[in-house]
Amino acid sequence: MKLTNWIRFTWDLAKLPLIATKLPGHYEISPARAEDEAELRKVISRSFLLDPTWNPAMHEVIETVEPWLDHAFASANVVRLALRHGSRIIGASILTPDQTSENHLAPGPCVLMEYRNRGFGTRLLEQSLLTLRDSGVSQAAALTEENALVTKFLYTKFHGTTLPRLLSPLLAA
């Protein structure tokens, strides 16, 4: 059995370093439309399902992520970003631009496996943090698993810092 430990990342959005890399011309990050919901859910689910980091506790992870998504798609307050390759959605980020939220990025930037390691996650996180900052959030937060790739390689690019776990650990059989 393996314990899946959730940790909280935070960013001071006033001190946000800009990566400022451009996306290739046929890629764009823009607000998602209402009709994109099914595709956004599919991208988010696939990004978790195909990532071996999450496999040991997938059932519990989905039970945690699904309520976040249900809230995100039911709320008029939430910002949904889509990373598009032409007309295809290949990445998604769901943002809660509420200063009092404990999880502004639920479930965090997600990119389909076949598009990873090309800087798309970096650009999607950068746009997410800038969007939160522009909406008046001064300190952004996200939850993730302590051994997840985003913990090691992505969230630290923007000087994210970790705080103690907020959720009780999930037990993976």
Side-chain angles (χ1 to χ4, degrees), residues 55-69:
N55 284 346
M58 186 51 62
H59 179 71
E60 291 88 351
V61 169
I62 294 299
E63 285 179 357
T64 302
V65 171
E66 282 300 321
W68 292 344
L69 293 178

Side-chain angles (χ1 to χ4, degrees), residues 43-44 46-48 50-52 54 109-121 149:
V43 166
I44 292 167
R46 283 185 184 162
S47 71
F48 279 100
L50 298 176
D51 187 335
W54 296 99
C110 296
V111 176
L112 293 174
M113 290 297 285
E114 63 265 29
Y115 287 90
R116 289 190 183 172
N117 299 317
R118 300 184 199 179
F120 295 129
L149 295 175

Side-chain angles (χ1 to χ4, degrees), residues 133-155:
R133 185 185 68 191
D134 293 347
S135 68
V137 175
S138 60
Q139 178 114 356
L143 296 175
T144 187
E145 203 273 332
E146 69 183 351
N147 293 316
L149 295 175
V150 295
T151 304
K152 297 174 184 177
F153 302 110
L154 183 59
Y155 286 177

Side-chain angles (χ1 to χ4, degrees), residues 50-106:
L50 298 176
D51 187 335
T53 306
W54 296 99
N55 284 346
M58 186 51 62
H59 179 71
E60 291 88 351
V61 169
I62 294 299
E63 285 179 357
T64 302
V65 171
E66 282 300 321
W68 292 344
L69 293 178
D70 291 342
H71 169 74
F73 289 109
S75 175
N77 243 15
V78 174
V79 176
R80 300 155 203 92
L81 296 177
L83 169 60
R84 298 177 193 275
H85 179 203
S87 62
R88 181 179 184 208
I89 296 176
I90 63 163
S93 190
I94 310 296
L95 313 173
T96 304
D98 176 356
Q99 186 67 31
T100 62
S101 178
E102 292 185 350
N103 192 7
H104 295 96
L105 300 165

Side-chain angles (χ1 to χ4, degrees), residues 13 16 29 79 81 92-97 104-105 108-110 121-135 137 140:
L13 298 181
L16 194 61
I29 298 171
V79 176
L81 296 177
S93 190
I94 310 296
L95 313 173
T96 304
H104 295 96
L105 300 165
C110 296
T122 300
R123 289 293 296 130
L124 194 52
L125 178 60
E126 180 180 45
Q127 186 61 52
S128 298
L129 295 174
L130 290 171
T131 300
L132 288 168
R133 185 185 68 191
D134 293 347
S135 68
V137 175

